[in-house]
Amino acid sequence: MTDRSVADDGHFLFVVGTRPEFIKIRSVLLEIIRRKHRYRLIHSGQHYDYNMSAIFFKELGLPEPDAFLEVGSDGPGGQTGEGLRKTEAVIAEHRPAAVVVQGDTNTTLFGALAAIKCGVPVAHIEAGVRSFDFTMPEEINRRMVDAVATFCFAPTARALGNLTHEGRAEASRLAGDTLVETAGRIRDMALKSSSILAQMNLQPCSYALVTSHRKENVDSPQRASAIAESLLQLDMPVVYPIHPRTRKMFSQFGLLEKLQKRIRIVDPLGYFDFLSLLTQARIALTDSGGVQQEASIFHVPCLTLRNNTEWLETVEAGQNVLVGADTGRIVSEATRILSDAAVYDRMAKAPSPFQEGAAVRIVDALLAALGGGRLTVPSSDFLKDGMPPLWN
Ligand code: UD1
Ligand code: UDP
């Protein structure tokens, strides 16, 4: 392990705080460690339950964080404000060469904002991904981060196209996807270590796996009830590892008891158990970004419980169908796919759009920029360069 105690030493500061960030940052973090480059890892504390946080560090072999900010749960303003204040203090103390953030959560946003306000460059992994839906907190977060990042690492050609369209081509490059790297490396270990199918008395390829936690679905009594109703109508065993937000809202709406009569609702699972369930599921129904991607990577047909998705590539590839929160549509699409072998096979055999190689490309780019003295926040000089062109 490299010495991480020295300030002003060209280290990279990774700021993460939620389940998908722990999973998606893994390959980049391990590549930095493999190259013996200095880094620090900050856990914001946005997710804090054992099975939303510590279990991922254990199963994924992630290093112990250097600091826990204990931001915890709050409204978006409170959470982002608290995180901004605390991350800024860490940056001021340690002066990293760059701050590395991943994805689209509030932790991603305050990590990037704290850095840029301290004059420290931001590297954004999974940049350029868009749902074009500004009612989603995630769309706001990812757009704000991409607007200020010095490095935008796009996972797909579509994401790179979005960044180019937004005038960020110079800061952007196609890196590939980090989730395909984590999921691909962990799958065999998961299948060996997990006994979840036996524990739940499930046969491979005989059940539907469900997750949902999006604010627009689970905080809305209408959408939550419509989704719950559709699950009750599915003609197969349904397993539903339930996010803490969903558990809280479903119990407020009286949906939990109703669902528990027929659906196998369990607490959020660690990665080994979840990947084991997902890779052997007949179909996935989800509103999660990461689960849509993993369903694509492992060729499990997917129904997305949303009207839009930031992973349009999976819909274009024919692996994923948008069904919203409409009971009739969810049930009829599930029936169509499950009852027609040709339709099912077409979805299951479609190639996944996610490519490996991201960690090496991202670390190569960061180290090259550091070595070449190019890790700086861009500044313009109107006196020397003349006025910038008018935007039209
Ligand atoms: C957050 C991200 C979302 C991401 C998701 C991954 C934002 C705006 N949203 O949503 O993009 O898809 O994480 O799972 O950043 N809670 C617990 N224990 C925990 C964590 C949360 O009980 O360890 C409960 C609390 O009641 C909390 C609620 O879940 O208020 C929501 O947590 P929060 O982190 O605010 O948002 P997520 O819905 O998890
Ligand atoms: N996941 C998990 N256990 C669960 C549910 C999901 O390990 O009970 C993993 C899943 O494999 C994926 C990630 O969590 O890699 C997705 O996180 P989430 O759905 O919370 O967030 P999103 O991807 O929508 O931002």
Side-chain angles (χ1 to χ4, degrees):
M1 183 73 70
T2 48
D3 177 8
R4 292 192 268 149
S5 60
V6 194
D8 267 329
D9 57 357
H11 73 279
F12 297 115
L13 180 72
F14 289 80
V15 181
V16 292
T18 69
R19 173 168 76 183
E21 290 159 74
F22 310 140
I23 296 169
K24 289 178 168 183
I25 205 72
R26 177 181 186 271
S27 60
V28 179
L29 201 48
L30 296 192
E31 185 62 18
I32 286 277
I33 294 171
R34 194 181 72 75
R35 309 261 191 119
K36 298 188 168 34
H37 192 79
R38 292 169 296 277
Y39 72 97
R40 295 178 74 80
L41 175 63
I42 302 300
H43 186 321
S44 75
Q46 180 172 345
H47 285 175
Y48 44 84
D49 289 346
Y50 174 77
N51 53 2
M52 294 297 287
S53 172
I55 193 167
F56 294 96
F57 281 77
K58 191 171 106 194
E59 291 185 344
L60 297 175
L62 297 176
E64 178 75 5
D66 294 281
F68 291 89
L69 304 186
E70 295 180 1
V71 163
S73 303
D74 201 348
Q79 194 174 56
T80 309
E82 179 80 344
L84 184 57
R85 193 175 62 74
K86 289 182 164 172
T87 312
E88 184 184 276
V90 173
I91 294 172
E93 184 183 351
H94 296 286
R95 298 307 303 176
V99 166
V100 184
V101 293
Q102 136 69 46
D104 54 20
T105 69
N106 286 344
T107 294
T108 317
L109 176 63
F110 63 66
L113 273 183
I116 201 75
K117 282 178 176 289
C118 292
V120 171
V122 174
H124 186 204
I125 301 173
E126 202 177 271
V129 172
R130 298 287 179 265
S131 66
F132 303 95
D133 178 352
F134 280 99
T135 67
M136 291 179 69
E138 293 81 7
E139 184 71 2
I140 299 165
N141 291 344
R142 49 173 96 97
R143 295 244 185 188
M144 308 263 291
V145 174
D146 284 337
V148 297
T150 305
F151 291 94
C152 294
F153 293 113
T156 62
R158 175 180 275 280
L160 184 68
N162 292 332
L163 291 161
T164 305
H165 184 70
E166 290 165 23
R168 301 261 43 221
E170 267 180 45
S172 306
R173 62 193 66 191
L174 180 58
D177 183 67
T178 59
L179 182 56
V180 73
E181 297 180 324
T182 305
R185 303 284 183 288
I186 300 294
R187 185 220 346 228
D188 288 349
M189 221 188 302
L191 290 172
K192 259 190 228 135
S193 335
S194 167
S195 55
I196 187 90
L197 265 75
Q199 282 168 41
M200 297 187 80
N201 199 18
L202 290 165
Q203 296 306 314
C205 234
S206 72
Y207 58 89
L209 179 66
V210 178
T211 79
S212 77
H213 68 280
R214 292 281 155 205
K215 187 169 175 288
E216 69 267 26
N217 279 339
V218 305
D219 289 13
S220 148
Q222 291 79 19
R223 289 180 74 89
S225 304
I227 291 172
E229 186 53 40
S230 71
L231 301 182
L232 291 168
Q233 290 183 28
L234 292 183
D235 190 18
M236 64 192 329
V238 178
V239 182
Y240 192 170
I242 195 162
H243 190 284
R245 174 184 211 115
T246 313
R247 182 178 282 283
K248 186 170 76 180
M249 299 315 294
F250 276 24
S251 72
Q252 261 180 43
F253 301 151
L255 291 171
L256 214 49
E257 274 186 16
K258 205 170 154 191
L259 279 174
Q260 266 160 343
K261 292 198 180 110
R262 215 188 87 62
I263 309 289
R264 319 274 289 268
I265 293 191
V266 292
D267 281 337
L269 295 168
Y271 204 48
F272 289 170
D273 281 342
F274 189 80
L275 270 197
S276 185
L277 273 174
L278 177 64
T279 52
Q280 298 178 82
R282 181 99 182 121
I283 190 164
L285 293 93
T286 190
D287 61 14
S288 156
V291 177
Q292 287 176 68
Q293 288 183 276
E294 286 165 344
S296 151
I297 292 162
F298 296 120
H299 301 283
V300 178
C302 183
L303 294 183
T304 291
L305 306 166
R306 290 169 45 190
N307 298 337
N308 56 53
T309 176
E310 55 284 332
W311 297 112
L312 260 178
E313 296 87 343
T314 61
V315 177
E316 286 167 343
Q319 301 180 294
N320 185 8
V321 180
L322 296 176
V323 288
D326 175 329
T327 307
R329 189 160 162 72
I330 297 168
V331 176
S332 68
E333 277 301 311
T335 309
R336 183 179 72 84
I337 293 163
L338 293 170
S339 62
D340 185 331
V343 173
Y344 188 90
D345 272 11
R346 226 179 5 256
M347 287 185 84
K349 288 184 180 149
S352 171
F354 300 111
Q355 304 289 325
E356 296 214 9
V360 168
R361 289 192 198 103
I362 290 168
V363 174
D364 277 350
L366 290 176
L367 293 180
L370 184 65
R374 286 183 291 109
L375 258 189
T376 53
V377 173
S379 150
S380 62
D381 190 342
F382 295 165
L383 270 181
K384 193 164 77 232
D385 303 335
M387 298 288 271
L390 273 180
W391 187 74
N392 56 31

